[in-house]
Amino acid sequence: MEIGDIMSKTPYDIIGETALYNMIDHFYSLVEKDDRINHLFPGDFAETSRKQKQFLTQFLGGPNLYTEEHGHPMLKKRHMEFKITTYERDAWLENMHIAITDAQFPAGVGDYLYERLRLTANHMVNS
């Protein structure tokens, strides 16, 4: 692969839909078992996972699946009904780190994704 090919690809292109979706499914299987935060996810983990797949596809430069179905992500507003402290943020990030690490994404892409999500998770803290 030429350097120009890498530079013209989005993180979504590099990771690929299948690997990304598998990572998200793994993440929610971890969250579902994690009593620190599973109460924040209303009942249907399959639906939450579906929305996360749409969001992360878009977040990483793929098609605008989330916006097409739900409108602008407005993450802070959509999460306001949930009490999110640094405790919940850290639990969320811990599970995400495990899922990203286990996914074994191409070199550097997992680190990039985790760092972007770390910044986003910090933004979600509301209590």
Side-chain angles (χ1 to χ4, degrees), residues 26-41 45 87-96 98:
H26 180 49
F27 168 72
Y28 281 107
S29 74
L30 296 169
V31 169
E32 193 168 4
K33 297 173 197 155
D34 189 336
D35 291 335
R36 297 173 297 171
I37 57 171
N38 57 15
H39 62 279
L40 295 174
F41 296 84
F45 280 91
Y87 177 79
E88 288 83 11
R89 176 205 61 199
D90 292 349
W92 190 93
L93 284 169
E94 181 184 310
N95 286 296
M96 185 57 76
I98 292 167

Side-chain angles (χ1 to χ4, degrees), residues 15-78:
I15 292 170
E17 180 180 287
T18 300
L20 179 64
Y21 286 14
N22 287 341
M23 183 279 294
I24 293 166
D25 287 337
H26 180 49
F27 168 72
Y28 281 107
S29 74
L30 296 169
V31 169
E32 193 168 4
K33 297 173 197 155
D34 189 336
D35 291 335
R36 297 173 297 171
I37 57 171
N38 57 15
H39 62 279
L40 295 174
F41 296 84
D44 189 357
F45 280 91
E47 178 60 13
T48 303
S49 179
R50 185 183 77 82
K51 287 179 180 176
Q52 183 73 277
K53 289 170 184 171
Q54 291 176 323
F55 175 75
L56 284 181
T57 293
Q58 182 170 322
F59 187 72
L60 293 170
N64 291 328
L65 302 177
Y66 189 91
T67 298
E68 288 171 6
E69 184 174 335
H70 310 285
H72 189 281
M74 301 181 299
L75 292 179
K76 187 91 170 171
K77 182 179 179 186
R78 291 183 194 271

Side-chain angles (χ1 to χ4, degrees), residues 99-117:
I100 289 170
T101 301
D102 288 352
Q104 299 181 344
F105 292 147
V109 180
D111 294 337
Y112 168 82
L113 174 57
Y114 181 78
E115 182 57 23
R116 293 277 315 270
L117 292 174

